[in-house]
Amino acid sequence: MEADEIYGLLDGQAFHMCGDEFSVAIGAQGWEITLYQPPSAQPELRYPKRRGKPPAALDPAFVERASQLLKVRARRMHAEVAADWPRLSTKPDQLGRLEHPLGGNRLAAKWYCLHCDGEHTGQAMADNLWHCTACGASPIDIFPEPFWEESSQPA
Ligand SMILES: [Zn+2]
């Protein structure tokens, strides 16, 4: 997927917004708000340092409006991420089971995060595009059983 870029005006301030399937960002000179792929992610406001000029803090109301624009753009990112996934990766079956989008052909109703040990329902995984809702780990860290716990117990 190609990154795209659009330009606009918000409260008289010129901005650009760009995005690909991993993150979307809105900004202008001196500020940038980034929103990463997990639907549970929160917008992150940054003031990149420019030589010789201390950044001017933005009006919180402006930041809120810019973040709302970014969230609208993020919906397209989320749809694009899931577009190539099997149907059972985005919608659980009648038993609440899902299939991992990156393969394995395993159906499970509970999924575990290798990163933080979190336990998640299939629906929670579908809603957050297979990112851990607790720590934000990516889909490659999500497994149908916590094999790391079994291996640490005496045989
Ligand atoms: Zn986690």
Side-chain angles (χ1 to χ4, degrees):
M1 184 191 128
E2 297 278 307
D4 67 34
E5 193 155 11
I6 55 177
Y7 296 87
L9 274 181
L10 181 64
D11 296 352
Q13 180 160 180
F15 70 84
H16 70 268
M17 183 154 57
C18 59
D20 57 24
E21 63 184 292
F22 301 105
S23 66
V24 292
I26 185 171
Q29 282 199 333
W31 62 274
E32 181 176 70
I33 305 171
T34 305
L35 191 52
Y36 291 98
Q37 191 190 74
S40 62
Q42 293 302 309
E44 297 175 18
L45 171 63
R46 272 189 295 265
Y47 296 105
K49 277 214 180 87
R50 301 176 65 210
R51 191 181 303 215
K53 277 191 188 173
L58 294 173
D59 176 358
F62 179 84
V63 172
E64 178 58 30
R65 284 192 290 276
S67 296
Q68 289 306 324
L69 276 183
L70 195 56
K71 286 176 182 171
V72 171
R73 172 62 182 83
R75 279 187 222 135
R76 211 177 91 211
M77 166 174 69
H78 297 150
E80 281 163 353
V81 168
D84 298 330
W85 288 357
R87 183 173 156 72
L88 269 174
S89 293
T90 56
K91 197 174 186 316
D93 69 10
Q94 286 170 339
L95 299 174
R97 298 176 307 176
L98 279 191
E99 179 185 342
H100 197 292
L102 303 182
N105 291 319
R106 287 279 308 274
L107 284 177
K110 286 245 161 53
W111 293 83
Y112 300 87
C113 174
L114 171 64
H115 203 62
C116 74
D117 249 2
E119 179 185 316
H120 304 289
T121 64
Q123 187 65 57
M125 288 291 88
D127 290 346
N128 206 35
L129 293 177
W130 291 86
H131 289 77
C132 177
T133 56
C135 76
S138 65
I140 59 167
D141 288 329
I142 306 297
F143 293 88
E145 68 271 323
F147 63 84
W148 50 93
E149 285 180 3
E150 287 153 24
S151 65
S152 67
Q153 283 166 11

